[in-house]
Amino acid sequence: MQEGVLRRQEETARAGGANGAPLADLLHRIAGGDRSALRRLYDLQSPRLFAVALRITRDSHLASDALHDAFMQVLKQAGRFDPGRGNAEAWLVSLVRYRALDIVRSRRREVSSYEPADEPGFDPDALEILASSEEGQALRSCLGQLEEDRRQLIVLAFVEGLSHSELAARLKLPLGTVKSAIRRGLRKLRECLEQ
């Protein structure tokens, strides 16, 4: 009986889930020490999360490291996830994103010859993976409603992993302009997604 419930939850999670509820349930079980829930979460989310890490690191080994580090963090901090503050999938993406950014930044310090690609933009494969979920489709629709400059800043910041100062340098904009445009863009995205 419980296996049937878990199978339905996994199918719901693959289809996007209702506000990430199945993923939140898995995180709750992980917080309680359930290692099988960690395995299920990994099986459900690792392809999407690996794509996020790969887009930021541009190296499959570094992306694997970021994914591993993020899941170790999930194991240790699953109890900190609060479904009232946000979606479980978004929480997982943020963990992977920050781990990938940390790896890239430390790598830049170690290897001074590391340079990110010069062309701004984003990997269509990563967006296809994101668009496969209900939340991803809603996000893509809401991104399409933003002005081009704000959309570009948000995509470069969150998909490419560029910091505000890196964005300002790349786009030759004042740092304050970049920060306020991203803040306003994120506010509009939040309003759109809450409708």
Side-chain angles (χ1 to χ4, degrees), residues 77-169:
Q77 298 180 357
R80 291 185 179 182
F81 172 71
D82 178 5
R85 293 185 65 200
N87 171 306
E89 188 172 12
W91 186 72
L92 293 168
V93 168
S94 70
L95 292 180
V96 169
R97 181 178 173 275
Y98 288 120
R99 296 294 66 76
L101 288 171
D102 286 347
I103 288 171
V104 168
R105 286 179 184 136
S106 68
R107 179 95 171 163
R108 283 181 185 164
R109 282 184 227 119
E110 292 172 13
V111 182
S112 61
S113 65
Y114 175 82
E115 293 182 18
D118 291 332
E119 292 185 25
F122 45 90
D123 185 356
D125 293 334
L127 282 183
E128 285 174 24
I129 291 169
L130 178 62
S132 68
S133 72
E134 189 176 315
E135 291 90 358
Q137 291 170 358
L139 177 60
R140 192 172 194 169
S141 171
C142 290
L143 274 170
Q145 295 175 24
L146 290 178
E147 293 131 13
E148 176 61 32
D149 59 337
R150 287 187 188 164
R151 180 175 50 247
Q152 181 185 25
L153 286 170
I154 289 171
V155 168
L156 288 172
F158 290 94
V159 176
E160 293 278 339
L162 298 178
S163 69
H164 290 154
S165 57
E166 289 169 328
L167 284 168

Side-chain angles (χ1 to χ4, degrees), residues 17-39:
N19 298 324
L23 296 179
D25 292 341
L26 287 173
L27 288 170
H28 178 71
R29 289 176 42 209
I30 293 167
D34 185 346
R35 295 283 179 141
S36 67
L38 181 65
R39 186 66 182 149

